[in-house]
Amino acid sequence: MQLKPYWLDSAPAFTGGRDDALPSSADVVVIGGGFSGLSAARALARRGADVVVLEAGGVVSAASGRNGGHCNNGLAKGITGVAAAYGQARAEDLYKAFDAAVDTVERVVGEEHIDCDFRRSGKVQVAAKPSHYARLVDNHAVLARGVDPDTELIPPEKLRSEVNSELFHGGLLYRRGAMLHVGRFGIGLAEAAAHHGAAIFENTPVTNLKRLAGDRHEVATAKGTIRADKVFLATGADTGSAFPFFRRRIAPIGSFIIATEPLAVEKVDEIMPTRRTAVTTKNIGNYFRISPDNRVIFGGRARFALSNPTSDAKSGQILMRGLCDVFPSLSETKIDYCWGGLLDVTQDRLPRAGKQDGVYYAMGYSGHGVQMSVHMGTIMAAILSGEDNANPLEGLPWPAMPSVFGKPWFLPIVGAYYRLLDKLS
């Protein structure tokens, strides 16, 4: 079992990076070389802006390349949960933004001819308990009235035509969802941004940000200092101490994933005949799909811990047991890859984007970052360019989380809380 992401191990190397000296200034400095930052850099460069991307490690080496490869519509808490917090009209607008985000990924793939196995597979949300199916029924009733009439309830007796497992109690099918090879997509997005003129500097962590006048900033890095007319922050869970406002509002939650050896087509036909993405209804649940080369990619919050080789290996063992619970016929299957990463989770599990103290930002994707990061990077690029472009996340309250700062010491407490919620639900 290799302790590294399958997506990055099976992606080409990035060739468009810069290894010369940092320029002294730029129209826009983008901090973070994941999907948000690269999407914004691509869009800005296409508009003719002088863009510099500063990435602490390698492009898409963090959350963008360490996820499950899902690109789905739908809200983490369901439309009824979001409506209870922000009203029905706002919930529907946010739902439509997630729809538009999948469209944005598909459009970028087409415009840049990125070979990443993008496919409108659809997503099936499977009920882990009978009571959870009742919640899916309630969500479907709201969606079917207009905001997403393409959704379809799958009663328990028909679920095996989607996910052939005895573990679940019906499901809800979202037909607009998609999947892709996120490693190849991310490298393709980075190459496209560089092709359009963005200067991408890897292994260049930002150490300090000093506001000058208006939106102008002086950005200090390990390789020197650069002045920017505008700064776009797209660091997610890796937001460091130089950005205390954002650090207090993002909880870095570990998520872990395994990839099996390639399976025979007949086995894939047996366990997931429609080959959609799948996600369970538990707070500490699982998400899974089939890769382009017929592996099962199976992930979840196996442990509330940070990613490192020891933690990843322990989490891989837990995930393997979970995979065998879902699909007992895979009990003898070899696991080829196991990896972990950090999700940038907000208190209400909705992302945030806007402007704070002269810094433009987009983050907090809470496990739905593949589509929303690309979408919000594009939207924020338009806003940075002075265009009248609506921000679907504008105005969402974003209070600081109590005791969230520095190292995430609180992860075991968070895990215990969500386990209790799952037990009581």
Side-chain angles (χ1 to χ4, degrees):
M1 183 172 68
Q2 302 182 75
L3 297 177
K4 57 184 176 181
Y6 160 74
W7 305 119
L8 299 180
D9 194 47
S10 56
F14 174 51
T15 63
R18 295 275 294 271
D19 56 8
D20 53 336
L22 283 178
S24 59
S25 63
D27 295 335
V28 181
V29 166
V30 175
I31 303 174
F35 291 166
S36 288
L38 294 172
S39 176
R42 169 188 174 269
L44 286 162
R46 280 164 57 101
R47 288 173 167 82
D50 177 20
V51 186
V52 171
V53 178
L54 304 175
E55 164 54 42
V59 293
V60 300
S61 60
S64 295
R66 291 177 169 270
N67 53 72
H70 298 210
C71 182
N72 293 323
N73 65 330
L75 301 168
K77 287 193 172 182
I79 195 165
T80 55
V82 176
Y86 297 113
Q88 186 63 33
R90 190 65 195 269
E92 291 188 6
D93 287 344
L94 289 166
Y95 189 96
K96 291 173 183 176
F98 279 71
D99 277 357
V102 182
D103 295 340
T104 295
V105 174
E106 185 174 31
R107 185 179 68 252
V108 171
V109 168
E111 288 176 351
E112 302 297 347
H113 307 288
I114 301 175
D115 178 15
C116 62
D117 292 290
F118 180 91
R119 183 170 69 88
R120 288 275 188 169
S121 58
K123 173 187 79 173
V124 58
Q125 187 177 17
V126 292
K129 294 182 176 182
S131 60
H132 293 189
Y133 182 66
R135 292 208 304 262
L136 295 182
V137 171
D138 292 342
N139 274 282
H140 177 255
V142 175
L143 295 172
R145 286 200 293 266
V147 68
D148 193 353
D150 292 334
T151 54
E152 177 186 341
L153 274 174
I154 306 171
E157 65 272 15
K158 293 185 178 180
L159 185 60
R160 286 196 169 199
S161 65
E162 293 284 348
V163 178
N164 189 6
S165 173
E166 296 182 355
L167 208 59
F168 306 115
H169 306 272
L172 180 57
L173 172 60
Y174 297 77
R175 296 188 182 279
R176 300 178 188 177
M179 62 171 64
L180 71 164
H181 187 300
V182 290
R184 295 208 300 263
F185 172 73
I187 297 300
L189 184 61
E191 299 286 11
H195 171 75
H196 291 297
I200 301 175
F201 290 85
E202 298 180 290
N203 303 307
T204 309
V206 171
T207 56
N208 192 40
L209 192 65
K210 179 181 178 182
R211 189 171 184 179
L212 301 176
D215 293 343
R216 299 187 72 241
H217 284 80
E218 186 175 83
V219 186
T221 80
K223 295 182 179 178
T225 300
I226 180 171
R227 290 198 170 192
D229 292 339
K230 295 178 181 177
V231 169
F232 176 54
L233 183 65
T235 48
D238 293 311
T239 300
S241 58
F243 310 100
F245 175 88
F246 302 100
R247 204 176 190 193
R248 291 295 313 278
R249 287 157 174 81
I250 295 290
I253 302 296
S255 192
F256 301 88
I257 305 171
I258 55 176
T260 70
E261 63 184 330
L263 305 180
V265 172
E266 295 78 13
K267 176 57 69 175
V268 177
D269 289 340
E270 173 195 323
I271 62 173
M272 296 191 75
T274 57
R275 291 166 171 76
R276 306 189 196 278
T277 63
V279 58
T280 69
T281 52
K282 284 187 175 182
N283 290 292
I284 307 179
N286 297 108
Y287 47 90
F288 46 98
R289 57 159 288 191
I290 303 299
S291 72
D293 57 352
N294 284 338
R295 303 173 188 269
V296 179
I297 310 293
F298 190 88
R301 321 286 184 262
R303 299 170 64 250
F304 277 78
L306 298 182
S307 175
N308 59 58
T310 301
S311 183
D312 290 357
K314 290 180 179 178
S315 298
Q317 294 170 3
I318 295 171
L319 288 171
M320 184 59 192
R321 291 196 294 270
L323 174 62
C324 293
D325 288 342
V326 175
F327 300 121
S329 64
L330 299 184
S331 61
E332 301 300 322
T333 301
K334 178 184 174 185
I335 302 302
D336 280 353
Y337 293 91
C338 175
W339 69 96
L342 288 177
L343 304 178
D344 48 331
V345 177
T346 62
Q347 199 162 22
D348 60 7
R349 297 196 65 188
L350 289 169
R352 295 298 192 276
K355 185 180 178 183
Q356 176 68 33
D357 297 330
V359 174
Y360 297 82
Y361 65 90
M363 60 181 68
Y365 298 112
S366 304
H368 290 71
V370 170
Q371 65 280 14
M372 283 301 287
S373 59
V374 179
H375 187 55
M376 292 311 303
T378 300
I379 286 176
M380 293 308 295
I383 293 172
L384 282 156
S385 301
E387 296 181 13
D388 185 15
N389 198 323
N391 173 6
L393 307 175
E394 187 71 37
L396 285 176
W398 200 14
M401 295 187 195
S403 303
V404 174
F405 51 87
K407 293 183 178 180
W409 56 270
F410 49 82
L411 289 183
I413 298 173
V414 173
Y417 171 71
Y418 282 124
R419 288 187 183 94
L420 178 61
L421 287 183
D422 283 334
K423 185 176 181 180
L424 297 176
S425 65

